[in-house]
Amino acid sequence: MPKPSTAYRCETCGAQAPRWSGRCPDCGAWNTLTEIARGSKIRTGRAGADLRSDSAPSRLLTLSEVEGDREERHSTGLGELDRVLGGGFVPGSVVLVGGDPGIGKSTLLLQAGAHLARGEPVIYVSGEESPLQVASRSRRLGLACENLSLLAETHLETIIPLIRKARPRMVVIDSIQTVYSDLVESAPGSVTQLRESTAALVRLAKTTGSALFIIGHVTKEGAIAGPRVLEHLVDTVLYFENDLGSRYRIVRSVKNRYGAANETGIFIMTENGLREVRNPSAIFLSSRLEGVSGSAITVMREGSRPMLVEVQALVDEAQSMPPRRITVGTDPPRLALLLAIFNRHSGQSVAGRDVFVNVVGGLRINETAVDLPVLLAVWSNLTDRPLPHDLIAFGEVGLSGEIRPVFGGEERLRESVKHGFTKALVPRGNVSRQERKEAGDLRIVNRLDECFLAVESWLASG
Ligand code: TYD
Ligand code: MG
C-alpha cells in the first residue's frame, strides 16, 4: 500500500504524527497539529547558515587543560540581574527572558543595555516598538546611551550581518516571536521559525562573542510561546514573575549554564523604571502591625537568598459546611494536612471553623519550612494571642506532630538576627553551636506542642 503523502506537525512541540488528531500525542496541546508534506524537510539548521563556526579541528582535552581560566563576566549595571545571571553575563552567552506582556522585560533590558552602552556598543533590535517609542522611553527613564543603537528590524538575514559587522558587547532581541528567516517556509511566529531563528542567533553569539538577550512571550500556561526546544538552545533561561498585581517583580533563572538555577533577583516597578530591591526582608516586613494575633514571621529562601516574610492566618466560625480552608501563597492541599496535624497535636482544634492563610506581599512559598509558621499564625489567631514581635520560626511539621529540619537553617537564622529578631523556634539539626550562642533566645523544638508551650512561656514572661 502506498504511504499517504501528508503528515502532521505540532506547532507547540514540533512532534510529528502520521494522522491528524485534535490533541498532540506528544505534548497534549489542543488544535496544534498542522498538515505538512511527508518527507518535506524544513531546511533545519540553515537559517543564517553563512555563520559557520571557524573553530579548530576537534581534539581531546584533559580537564587540567581547560580548567584555570574563569569566564569573563560583565555587569549589566543592575546588581539583581547580575545575581540571577550568576555574577554578570558571559561574552557569547545567550539568555532567553520570558514573562507576561507588560511585566517589564523591555524595560529591564533597555536599562541594562543603556548602562552597558556607556562604555561599549550595544544593539537593541526591536520588532515590537518603533525606534521613537524606545528612544522616548529611554529618555523618560533618564538613560544616557551614546553607544546604544536601535534597530527596527524583524528580518533575520538583515539583522545578522549588521550585528556581525558592529560586534557589540550586547544585543537585545525584542522579541523572538517577531523575527523571521527567509530560509524557513513557515510563517513568522511558528515553531519552526522560532527554532531556526534562535539557532541562527545562538551561532551568531558563539562566533562573534556578543552576548545575546532574547525576549520571549509567555503563553497563558506560563511556558515561553513555541517549543520548549528554545530553552534547550540557549545557555540561560530567565522568567519574570509577579503575583497578585503587586509592584514587585521576581526574575528567576530556571536554567543557567553559567550559574545556579533557581536564583532570583527582586525588583520593584516604579514610574522611573525597575528599581532593585537589595534588602527584601526589610521591605516585606515594613508594613507589619505589632501586637496583632494571627501573624507569624518566617524566613523563606528565594534561590540562595534567605528572606523574612510575614504569614497571616484568620480563623473564623464556619459560614457553611464543610468549613473553608483557603491559602494564598502556600500549598492548598498542605494546609488541610497541617490543620489535621494541628487538631491532633496542639491541644486546640479548628474543626467547624473557616481558616484563611496569606503570605504578605504576594509572595509564594513552595517549601515545607513554612509549615510551622502557618500553624503558629493559626494558633495565635484562634487563641487571640499575638506572638512575640521579635519571634521567627521555620520548620517542616510531620504527620506525628514532629518538627523536621529544613534546608539552609543557619543562613535563615543569620538573616533573622541581622534584622533584630531575638527569639526563634528552630528544628533540631538546623543550628550549629555557634549559631546557638549568637541567636539570642533560641528554642530547639522537636514537637508541635513544645512550640506552643515555648510561646506561652515567652508571653508569660512579658
Ligand atoms: P514593558 O517593559 O514594556 O513590558 P514587557 O516588555 O514585558 O511587555 O513594561 C511595560 C509596563 O511597565 C507598562 O504597563 C508600564 C510599566 N512601566 C512603569 O510602570 N514604569 C516605567 O518606568 C516603565 C518604563 C514602564
Ligand atoms: Mg516589551
Side-chain angles (χ1 to χ4, degrees):
M1 217 167 79
K3 280 195 170 178
S5 60
T6 55
Y8 296 86
R9 188 189 302 116
C10 171
E11 282 292 315
T12 299
C13 70
Q16 290 202 12
R19 205 158 307 104
W20 189 86
S21 71
R23 190 170 190 197
C24 170
D26 234 53
C27 70
W30 289 94
N31 285 326
T32 55
L33 292 195
T34 52
E35 189 172 335
I36 53 165
R38 187 185 283 277
S40 85
K41 285 227 169 65
I42 22 135
R43 283 169 277 173
T44 309
R46 294 295 304 161
D50 52 315
L51 321 154
R52 276 295 130 74
S53 126
D54 37 3
S55 53
S58 305
R59 71 181 181 91
L60 296 174
L61 294 171
T62 62
L63 267 185
S64 54
E65 278 178 284
V66 282
E67 273 172 1
D69 280 7
R70 280 178 53 91
E71 305 104 12
E72 176 188 343
R73 300 268 181 175
H74 294 265
S75 172
T76 60
L78 293 160
E80 290 292 299
L81 181 58
D82 289 346
R83 178 192 170 90
V84 250
L85 291 169
F89 66 85
V90 175
S93 62
V94 183
V95 182
L96 183 63
V97 181
D100 291 331
I103 200 163
K105 302 180 293 297
S106 303
T107 308
L108 180 75
L109 292 180
L110 185 62
Q111 286 180 233
H115 168 86
L116 207 68
R118 287 187 203 150
E120 302 187 81
V122 174
I123 298 184
Y124 193 103
V125 184
S126 181
E128 306 238 323
E129 290 164 306
S130 69
L132 186 65
Q133 282 171 308
V134 180
S136 70
R137 178 185 297 191
S138 65
R139 241 170 262 131
R140 201 167 54 70
L141 297 181
L143 304 171
C145 24
E146 323 259 286
N147 294 317
L148 182 73
S149 313
L150 299 177
L151 176 61
E153 184 55 73
T154 54
H155 181 223
L156 188 67
E157 282 74 25
T158 308
I159 296 171
I160 284 179
L162 285 170
I163 293 174
R164 287 214 133 229
K165 190 147 172 263
R167 298 250 165 178
R169 172 63 70 203
M170 171 183 179
V171 180
V172 179
I173 305 285
D174 188 2
S175 66
I176 190 65
Q177 275 91 358
T178 61
V179 172
Y180 74 98
S181 164
D182 282 340
L183 299 169
V184 178
E185 285 148 17
S186 51
S190 69
V191 184
T192 323
Q193 281 285 3
L194 285 174
R195 190 178 49 208
E196 292 304 307
S197 307
T198 306
L201 288 166
V202 169
R203 284 195 296 273
L204 174 71
K206 301 299 166 199
T207 52
T208 58
S210 298
L212 206 63
F213 286 75
I214 299 179
I215 293 178
H217 293 303
V218 152
T219 59
K220 279 203 210 79
E221 294 79 34
I224 289 178
R228 281 254 139 182
V229 80
L230 286 201
E231 297 191 357
H232 300 301
L233 291 175
V234 301
D235 300 307
T236 303
V237 180
L238 306 183
Y239 274 103
F240 236 107
E241 304 167 0
N242 90 314
D243 277 323
L244 299 174
S246 85
R247 294 201 301 147
Y248 294 102
R249 304 282 187 270
I250 294 182
V251 180
R252 190 185 303 278
S253 63
V254 298
K255 163 185 172 176
N256 195 355
R257 283 187 189 141
Y258 298 111
N262 214 20
E263 191 54 87
T264 53
I266 303 178
F267 296 88
I268 183 164
M269 183 58 98
T270 69
E271 304 74 51
N272 300 315
L274 287 160
R275 230 184 40 229
E276 298 174 57
V277 178
R278 293 229 177 83
N279 187 353
S281 295
I283 298 239
F284 289 117
L285 291 189
S286 60
S287 50
R288 167 188 172 215
L289 297 173
E290 283 183 13
V292 181
S293 75
S295 157
I297 307 300
T298 188
V299 199
M300 68 183 281
R301 283 172 60 101
E302 264 299 349
S304 65
R305 164 164 50 195
M307 208 160 93
L308 292 169
V309 285
E310 179 182 355
V311 179
Q312 298 178 328
L314 181 65
V315 182
D316 195 17
E317 286 304 323
Q319 301 302 312
S320 60
M321 281 298 153
R324 286 186 294 173
R325 270 76 217 269
I326 292 176
T327 176
V328 179
T330 73
D331 182 37
R334 196 154 180 96
L335 177 62
L337 181 141
L338 289 173
L339 293 177
I341 301 170
F342 181 83
N343 290 345
R344 177 69 71 89
H345 295 282
S346 70
Q348 302 278 345
S349 171
V350 291
R353 292 167 193 265
D354 289 338
V355 178
F356 304 94
V357 169
N358 178 41
V359 180
V360 174
L363 294 170
R364 271 208 67 76
I365 309 186
N366 290 321
E367 45 170 15
T368 52
V370 75
D371 290 356
L372 179 56
V374 163
L375 291 185
L376 284 171
V378 167
W379 178 89
S380 162
N381 194 252
L382 178 70
T383 61
D384 198 21
R385 274 179 285 184
L387 298 171
H389 72 279
D390 53 353
L391 168 70
I392 65 113
F394 55 83
E396 177 176 333
V397 180
L399 288 184
S400 328
E402 78 278 19
I403 308 293
R404 297 168 169 272
V406 294
F407 189 71
E410 294 181 15
E411 283 160 88
R412 291 181 210 250
L413 266 180
R414 241 174 278 137
E415 179 74 4
S416 56
V417 170
K418 202 166 94 191
H419 287 86
F421 286 76
T422 56
K423 301 184 176 71
L425 290 174
V426 176
R428 182 173 296 283
N430 258 150
V431 237
S432 68
R433 283 232 172 82
Q434 185 60 23
E435 239 75 42
R436 270 182 227 193
K437 273 195 225 130
E438 290 169 5
D441 194 353
L442 184 92
R443 308 274 170 100
I444 309 278
V445 281
N446 296 305
R447 304 183 45 79
L448 189 59
D449 46 2
E450 290 169 22
C451 302
F452 303 122
L453 290 175
V455 171
E456 279 175 343
S457 80
W458 272 317
L459 293 176
S461 64

